[in-house]
Amino acid sequence: MKGKYKFLLLALLIAFASCSFTTKKFEDPDKDKLLIQLITYLLDQGHFEPKDINDDFSAQVFEDYLNNVDQFKRFFYESDIKEFEAYKDKIDDQIKAYDVAFFNLTHQRLLQRIAEAKVIYTDILEKPFDFTEQEDYVADYENLTYVKNKREMKERWRQQLKFSTIANYDEIITQQESDTDKLISEKNKSNKEIEAEARLATKESIDVLYDYIDDRTRNDWFSVYINAIVEGFDPHTFYFAPEDKERFDRDISGKFEGIGARLQKKVDGIMVDEVISGGPAWRADELEVGDQILKVRQQDEKESINVVGMRLADAIKFIKGPKGTVVTLTLKKVDGTIQDISITRDVVELEETYAKSSIVEKDGKTFGIINLPKFYISFEDYNERNAASDIKQEILRLKEEGVEGLVMDLRNNGGGSLQTVVDIAGLFIEDGPVVQVKTTGEAKEVLSDKDKAIVWDGPLVILVNELSASASEILAAAMQDYKRGIVIGSKQTYGKGTVQTVMDLNRMIKNNTNGDMGALKFTTQKFYRINGGSTQLEGVKSDVVVPDRYSYIDIGEKNLENPLAWDKIDAADYEVWGNYFDYDTTISKSKARMAGNEQLKLIEANAQWVKTIRDRESYSLNYDTYKKEMQVNEEEAKRFAKLSEYQTDLTFTSLPYEMKLMDQDSVLMEKRNRWHEALAKDVYVEEAINVLHDLKMTYAIKNKVAESVKN
């Protein structure tokens, strides 16, 4: 049976959740055990490369889980770890028996230690820090040992808190020294007053952190444990708790149903952090950033629900709701008044998720740039708004403006839907294979563009960086293999060459009485370039390599735990793009320009400096020494101030349809203005336009030669 059909059959059986689903029944009344049953079964049956759940696997889960819940080693003691180690080679047995004894023990102890730590940090921050003492703070958390006793625990917290406070202390002093508008008497706070203010800022910051920790339920912590298990299979296998699954769906589709506001939990309560442009709250024009939500009432209810002190996630459940329903919010407004407002919920589109384009002018010539943040799609209905249909629309609009070349900006695009990338690639080629997909033990499947129509046949540049991953790599690789476009960017892209499936776990249970079980995203396939090579680990190598801020930082699949290996399969049957573009000459000219570009030299030097700063693990807690170190950094930073001063000679303009929208939407106008300002300072976009210009020129010359030969 072909791999894809075998897995589709599995998914179909799961969807029906009938008693005939092999002999497996998922009916355990204990939700924790049921969740482990579901997940381990799916991973064993459906993962691309199932793991042996043995003692080695157990030891890895042990280490990963404890690191995830206590990364800075400021909760657990050495004695706790020794007690936990009795389970180090037994977690595999517990997984197979659906036993959660290890989690129960560690979770109860964690809550105890968190409560103890709150007393410790509160006590420490009641006393002044002495910044004249000579001592260092070591931030190498990975190699920290667990403390032996309460005295050592207090000392660990003291150093971490002092490190946070000295930064606040320096910031207040620096601000005071630079504030020339105040009277001298107001400027000269004593060191004692400054230290107290800095310590209070540290206290407020960690109180916010603890407020978040206090909001976490047992289910939240259990999700951390489950993910320590599933991520042992590969870095992209992940368990979504119900709230996380909603967030994933929203992120991949770019929309949700609600009032259209981003909320934040603060010490004061649940605050409005952003009113989303174009959403129902924005249209109603009554909700403001800084408003505190006190109560929530549904349209069919008489009484409001008090959300003060409620977990943010729980409050959001009351505030969100289906399109067309009305919710009434009781607000404490920014000016302190109490007010009720009613908002009719609607579909909210997250504008920053979607493709956007701009006209680019240089030396009297017009080009186009399209920025694609992710390959978005609605899993419920592919005919709804998706990345492929939007990109096609933007290309058609740019063609109406007479653009002579196109830049596809995939920088920082982490991927998304496999179907949309195949459809987008088809916009640039007549027809043919785009990507190859392989399931373990099965013949490869070739995903092809079958539509002979070409939406854009002109010069094409693909911009990438180290954070361009998955679907971004498929598109860049396909254009490179067809010689359809030139890839400009980092030495290599992220290196994620795997395909994931998201399975709703509720579909596997008949007569579920345990509540929402969440979903599992797990790796089912690997994809390969049409030339046969995998992008796994190695990514896509740019035709023109340019340095960027990430050049010396460990980013990418190869730096993650448990990545799948690189391999190669046979090439697909495809023909290189037949055209008059001279890619080799254009690439050579671009490399020569890049080699002499002073801005790029400065960017590379900055990247090296950033790595030095990031790799530093020891800091002085003596203020005089700390200040000198900061001054050295500031002097070095001045050297790179010119990076932000760089200005190209490019002019960017929104498309006519967007100009009309901006006349009514000042937020959208501000976002586009900021984007255009950033593009005008972007040396990579500048070079992309230069390359398009060169491609256009070589096309014109070769076309003229061909015409003369023909005649």
Side-chain angles (χ1 to χ4, degrees), residues 363 365 367 688-698:
D363 298 336
K365 294 187 179 299
F367 303 93
I689 299 301
N690 287 334
V691 166
L692 289 177
H693 184 270
D694 290 346
L695 284 173
K696 186 71 176 176
M697 294 303 293
T698 60

Side-chain angles (χ1 to χ4, degrees), residues 117 161 205 207 319 322 436 539 577 583 691 694:
L161 293 170
S205 176
D207 280 344
I319 297 167
Q436 304 187 89
W577 177 257
Y583 285 110
V691 166
D694 290 346

Side-chain angles (χ1 to χ4, degrees), residues 59 146 188 194 216 221 266 334 371 431 594 631 643 656 692:
Y146 289 95
N188 289 340
I194 294 172
R216 302 196 79 176
W221 293 111
K266 295 188 176 181
V334 177
N371 175 267
D431 60 4
M594 294 295 91
Q631 286 171 342
L643 287 174
L692 289 177

Side-chain angles (χ1 to χ4, degrees), residues 546-602:
V546 290
D548 62 24
R549 69 178 73 178
Y550 307 116
S551 294
Y552 297 94
I553 298 174
D554 293 335
I555 289 178
E557 186 89 357
K558 61 184 179 294
N559 297 299
L560 300 178
E561 286 189 18
N562 313 312
L564 299 187
W566 180 90
D567 61 343
K568 188 175 183 178
I569 62 174
D570 293 335
D573 184 16
Y574 71 99
E575 293 182 8
V576 172
W577 177 257
N579 58 61
Y580 293 110
F581 297 133
D582 188 340
Y583 285 110
D584 293 337
T585 300
T586 302
I587 289 170
S588 295
K589 290 177 69 175
S590 180
K591 286 180 177 179
R593 273 193 303 267
M594 294 295 91
N597 189 294
E598 292 301 320
Q599 177 76 348
L600 288 176
K601 289 178 182 178
L602 194 58

Side-chain angles (χ1 to χ4, degrees), residues 136-141 144 159 617-619:
D136 292 326
Y137 172 66
V138 178
D140 182 10
Y141 306 117
L144 275 180
Q159 284 205 339
E617 292 174 345
S618 181
Y619 302 85

Side-chain angles (χ1 to χ4, degrees), residues 625-683:
T625 306
Y626 177 91
K627 186 65 175 177
K628 287 175 184 175
E629 292 169 350
M630 291 300 103
Q631 286 171 342
V632 169
N633 287 343
E634 287 167 11
E635 286 303 313
E636 187 71 2
K638 288 178 183 177
R639 177 185 164 205
F640 304 114
K642 291 182 180 178
L643 287 174
S644 61
E645 298 171 4
Y646 187 78
Q647 193 72 32
T648 69
D649 60 354
L650 306 176
T651 302
F652 297 87
T653 311
S654 289
L655 290 162
Y657 86 96
E658 201 169 63
M659 298 285 277
K660 293 178 181 177
L661 292 175
M662 289 190 294
D663 287 341
Q664 302 172 355
D665 189 343
S666 61
V667 175
L668 178 62
M669 179 180 288
E670 184 181 346
K671 287 180 178 179
R672 288 297 180 266
N673 287 341
R674 284 203 303 264
W675 182 45
H676 290 163
E677 287 170 8
L679 290 175
K681 295 174 176 289
D682 195 325
V683 66

